[in-house]
Amino acid sequence: MSAVLIQEVKTVAELKSQPDDYRIAVEKIVVSHAVNELYGAQVFDEPAIALAPTPYAKWLTCRIAMEEYHHHVRFRSLADEIGVAPERMDPKVKQPLSIFSFELKTWPEFCVIKAIADYAEILQVEDLLHCSFHPLRNLGRITMPEEKFHAKFGKDSCLELIQAGQGDAVQDAINRYFPITPAFFGASNSKNNEMYRRFGLKQRSNEEMRADFLRRATELVEQDFGMTLPVIH
Ligand SMILES: [Fe+2]
Ligand SMILES: [Fe+2]
């Protein structure tokens, strides 16, 4: 393996003088966040406004949808600043991750997605907090409190459904949604991830993040909800 390169790149202007490998790695991370935030907002958050059962729930869901679109806008602006071609972020061109292939039909499904998938997103954003490219680090810091709010909204809403006698719908949504989530963290032997860590762009391996996620999902579903997490094969 080549020598560890830990450098601080403070601005977009400084990025331009970095080695190609570093710039390409930064672009990949920015594009992945820009696209994922847009997919999530389009397939889950915006449609969920119509599914929300009360005006209060609709208001909170509008806020979440607004924030998710804003996350896309922020990463997209950075992508534009560093010169990423717009078509690399077009959902019609770029295939969605499996986490977005779930067809949202009910309110309990949305609540489960927020509780579980937004926790997965928290882990991804957490990894940016010490990123060697400071504009990405700053986006992580701005985005984190909102992702935490989304995951808490999901957890609280699931608990409300369970208390209101709709635990079966929550368990059913967990059974169908949870199995597609671990793939969100990418391949265990990912060359990209190895490069991101070498450049100080990310801190943890995909496997470490997935293990963290599975630990937290188990705690959430089994301890907080008193439900069962499906076994993943
Ligand atoms: Fe987000
Ligand atoms: Fe979120």
Side-chain angles (χ1 to χ4, degrees), residues 34-55:
V35 171
N36 291 343
E37 294 287 0
L38 182 58
Y39 267 124
Q42 285 178 340
V43 302
F44 299 142
D45 306 287
E46 190 179 340
I49 298 168
L51 300 171
T54 63

Side-chain angles (χ1 to χ4, degrees), residues 37 67-69 71-72 114 118 121 125 143 147 150:
E37 294 287 0
E67 289 175 351
E68 299 293 20
Y69 274 115
H71 296 171
H72 163 71
K114 286 287 111 179
D118 281 55
E121 186 59 22
V125 174
T143 306
E147 293 299 0
H150 303 165

Side-chain angles (χ1 to χ4, degrees), residues 171 174-175 178 221-222 225-231:
Q171 179 70 69
I174 291 168
N175 292 347
F178 177 70
V221 170
E222 294 182 356
F225 296 169
M227 298 196 156
T228 315
L229 203 62
V231 178

Side-chain angles (χ1 to χ4, degrees), residues 25-147:
V26 166
E27 283 181 11
K28 280 186 179 170
I29 295 174
V30 175
V31 165
S32 131
H33 279 274
V35 171
N36 291 343
E37 294 287 0
L38 182 58
Y39 267 124
Q42 285 178 340
V43 302
F44 299 142
D45 306 287
E46 190 179 340
I49 298 168
L51 300 171
T54 63
Y56 182 67
K58 275 193 198 295
W59 172 68
L60 281 179
T61 310
C62 284
R63 178 178 155 185
I64 291 170
M66 184 185 78
E67 289 175 351
E68 299 293 20
Y69 274 115
H70 197 190
H71 296 171
H72 163 71
V73 168
R74 285 189 198 126
F75 282 100
R76 172 65 199 256
S77 311
L78 181 57
D80 291 341
E81 273 184 73
I82 64 176
V84 174
E87 53 272 22
R88 285 179 64 190
M89 291 169 288
D90 183 347
K92 291 190 199 81
V93 175
K94 201 164 164 26
Q95 281 297 305
L97 297 173
S98 56
I99 198 169
F100 302 117
S101 64
F102 187 88
E103 207 183 326
L104 178 74
K105 291 203 181 97
T106 70
W107 178 246
E109 288 169 353
F110 179 66
C111 299
V112 163
I113 288 169
K114 286 287 111 179
I116 291 178
D118 281 55
Y119 187 70
E121 186 59 22
I122 285 173
L123 288 174
Q124 295 282 2
V125 174
E126 207 170 60
D127 228 52
L128 296 180
L129 297 179
H130 305 283
C131 180
S132 59
F133 181 51
H134 288 207
L136 255 180
R137 182 189 291 198
N138 295 339
L139 279 192
R141 287 181 182 171
I142 299 167
T143 306
M144 183 58 101
E146 293 174 351
E147 293 299 0

